[in-house]
Amino acid sequence: MKTLYLDCGMGAAGDMLTAALAELLPDPDAFFAKLNALGIPGVEVSREPSVKCGITGTHVTVKIGGEEEDASDADLHEHEHHHDHEHGHDHDHEHDHEHEHDHEHEHEHEHDHEHGHHHHHSGVHDIEHIVRDHLDLPEKVKDDVLAVFGLIAEAESHVHGVPVDEIHFHEVGTMDAVADVTAVCLAMAQLAPDEVVVSPVHVGSGHVHCAHGILPVPAPATAYILRDVPIYGGAIRGELCTPTGAALLRHFAARFGDMPVMRTEKIGYGMGKKDFEAANCVRAMLGEREEQSADAVLLACNLDDMTPEAIGFATETLLAEGALDVWTTPIGMKKSRPGTLLSVLCRPEDREATVRRIFRHTATIGIRENTCRRYTLARREEVRDTPSGPVRQKISAGYGVARVKDEYEDLARIAREEGISLAEAKEKASER
């Protein structure tokens, strides 16, 4: 299994992720040439060597109309409709990346007196128009780009209390973000990892000065996107993870946690702009992960006073709520009564929650526990187009074996729709 591990111990932003992933590609120059040839309005993306704490990596710069993006251009501001508002920009930012911030909502064509010119704004539909109609990208990459912007827009909508359709991104900042997001999505498509694992994310600490006040770190939009993701602060003062970086991680990560056991083949370093006492970079590691093993907890209980329907419901519910596996075995109990042995396999960290669920959904008054070692093949899912429609395939590999199995539900759909047997549906699905 090709695994991409992203070490975000110093946070993440779109440009840092772009730089780290580009170092993994066989021809980074061709990648940036393709990126610049896409025709993102006014955008030029370049790379240069960068050294942080003695480590050499790549720093990526995005220029809009020949100028490097300024922090003020990325802001969104919230005002009332049809209201011109004079304001200055306080840019004593403690950001690592000056061109990405938590944003406030601003309506179209607001006049900016400080900069002396009009700034236009782009909504979610405008971004979709640019990506769908003007960028020469594979459809999968376009889908990824828009999914990432969907996460950002959802976060902004939640933070500022306005509908997603009313979120407007500043024109210049939008093009910068489109470049960052597109670059990462395109690099991911070219690398084509089977899974992406991301470390816990260092978000920084302290606060950041924005045009209309002081915001805590992580900024509200970043914090919303990273909900349920392991994050931490620390002694470094400043914003280490931006909303764009957070959305990219959230979209591509299969899981967040420690680095898996893998044979690393390539390593890339994407450098941030500022210097800290720790290396300001994202590290990307690409390699193969095949054999998998981990501890598991086996919970079991005997049932003799539940109907088959109730046991079936409990089994389905436990699986839906996160159990690794659930099965039943007919057993003979005391006083020669027939019964059912319910066995539930779960991760060690899910032990307490699973015990509570078993008590909730069954009539048992006692549960037994055993710790076991679980060996599994590395698994992934692919979708294959067939004459009868898309069919999902479960692909498993490791320990010297490889297996491919069509998804039953897809085969059953074909059989029902075409009035054929399941075996005939399987044969049709294998046709090219």
Side-chain angles (χ1 to χ4, degrees):
M1 173 180 283
K2 185 191 291 187
T3 297
L4 174 63
Y5 180 69
L6 297 176
D7 181 358
C8 297
M10 279 301 298
D15 54 353
M16 293 172 69
L17 290 166
T18 298
L21 295 177
E23 287 203 344
L24 304 179
L25 295 170
D27 191 347
D29 288 333
F31 171 76
F32 282 97
K34 178 176 178 59
L35 190 62
N36 284 316
L38 291 176
I40 303 173
V43 168
E44 179 185 357
V45 185
S46 61
R47 67 184 180 112
E48 61 184 2
S50 176
V51 178
K52 301 291 181 185
C53 296
I55 300 172
T56 301
T58 296
H59 174 70
V60 166
T61 299
V62 178
K63 291 185 177 180
I64 314 294
E67 296 184 2
E68 187 172 355
E69 172 67 348
D70 181 74
S72 62
D73 291 325
D75 282 344
L76 295 173
H77 307 288
E78 187 174 5
H79 299 293
E80 296 187 8
H81 290 276
H82 311 299
H83 178 65
D84 285 345
H85 183 77
E86 183 175 350
H87 59 279
H89 290 278
D90 176 5
H91 295 303
D92 180 20
H93 292 273
E94 292 180 331
H95 288 253
D96 173 33
H97 312 284
E98 295 184 3
H99 65 282
E100 292 187 315
H101 302 273
D102 184 64
H103 307 302
E104 292 181 43
H105 180 64
E106 180 175 11
H107 296 285
E108 260 186 276
H109 310 301
E110 180 193 358
H111 185 70
D112 189 327
H113 297 277
E114 179 71 16
H115 293 280
H117 61 275
H118 281 80
H119 289 299
H120 301 282
H121 303 83
S122 300
V124 176
H125 295 302
D126 298 310
I127 294 174
E128 183 174 4
H129 172 70
I130 292 171
V131 174
R132 290 288 185 203
D133 300 337
H134 294 285
L135 301 188
D136 182 18
L137 293 167
E139 286 303 313
K140 175 63 168 61
V141 176
K142 292 181 180 181
D143 291 342
D144 286 335
V145 171
L146 294 177
V148 171
F149 271 103
L151 290 172
I152 298 171
E154 177 190 349
E156 298 290 356
S157 171
H158 175 83
V159 168
H160 300 297
V162 296
V164 169
D165 287 345
E166 292 184 19
I167 292 293
H168 286 76
F169 302 95
H170 192 288
E171 182 182 47
V172 181
T174 297
M175 292 306 101
D176 181 273
V178 168
D180 284 339
V181 173
T182 301
V184 172
C185 293
L186 184 59
M188 283 289 190
Q190 293 188 9
L191 291 169
D194 296 314
E195 67 169 357
V196 178
V197 181
V198 180
S199 72
V201 182
H202 191 172
V203 295
S205 66
H207 60 270
V208 58
H209 295 265
C210 288
H212 297 286
I214 299 174
L215 298 177
V217 171
T222 303
Y224 182 82
I225 294 169
L226 294 179
R227 64 196 188 284
D228 298 324
V229 169
I231 62 176
Y232 62 99
I236 295 176
R237 307 285 290 182
E239 182 185 45
L240 300 183
C241 183
T242 64
T244 300
L248 285 163
L249 296 178
R250 188 65 184 258
H251 176 68
F252 283 107
R255 65 179 178 86
F256 290 81
D258 295 333
M259 180 180 177
V261 177
M262 57 188 284
R263 294 191 297 273
T264 304
E265 299 170 358
K266 294 182 178 180
I267 302 174
Y269 290 88
M271 303 306 195
K273 194 167 186 178
K274 285 192 174 183
D275 292 314
F276 299 112
E277 59 270 24
N280 181 17
C281 66
V282 168
R283 180 166 62 175
M285 308 177 76
L286 188 67
E288 288 291 330
R289 181 165 75 92
E290 293 182 0
E291 294 88 7
Q292 301 185 62
S293 65
D295 287 337
V297 174
L298 179 60
L299 302 171
C301 61
N302 295 347
L303 306 172
D304 65 351
D305 54 355
M306 291 180 65
T307 66
E309 293 86 357
I311 294 175
F313 179 82
T315 298
E316 294 172 1
T317 303
L318 288 165
L319 282 169
E321 293 181 347
L324 296 172
D325 201 1
V326 183
W327 66 95
T328 58
T329 308
I331 58 173
M333 299 178 61
K334 61 185 179 181
K335 298 182 181 180
S336 301
R337 290 180 300 189
T340 300
L341 171 63
L342 177 69
S343 301
V344 182
L345 196 66
C346 69
R347 297 178 181 85
E349 61 268 25
D350 296 333
R351 174 194 290 107
E352 292 298 325
T354 304
V355 166
R356 292 178 180 273
R357 289 167 186 151
I358 294 173
F359 279 126
R360 179 182 179 187
H361 295 294
T362 73
T364 189
I365 59 173
I367 299 172
R368 301 180 296 279
E369 174 189 319
N370 286 292
T371 300
C372 56
R373 193 71 175 169
R374 182 171 179 255
Y375 297 87
T376 62
L377 300 181
R379 288 167 284 186
R380 71 180 190 274
E381 185 178 281
E382 292 184 358
V383 178
R384 185 163 52 85
D385 291 327
T386 75
S388 299
V391 172
R392 290 167 291 169
Q393 287 186 320
K394 296 177 179 178
I395 302 173
S396 306
Y399 297 98
V401 301
R403 297 174 182 146
V404 179
K405 182 180 180 182
D406 293 329
E407 176 62 48
Y408 163 77
E409 294 294 342
D410 293 340
L411 296 179
R413 173 187 55 78
I414 294 173
R416 294 189 190 101
E417 290 177 353
E418 303 187 13
I420 59 179
S421 69
L422 196 63
E424 290 172 316
K426 182 176 178 62
E427 186 175 345
K428 287 202 68 172
S430 64
E431 296 176 2
R432 295 290 179 179

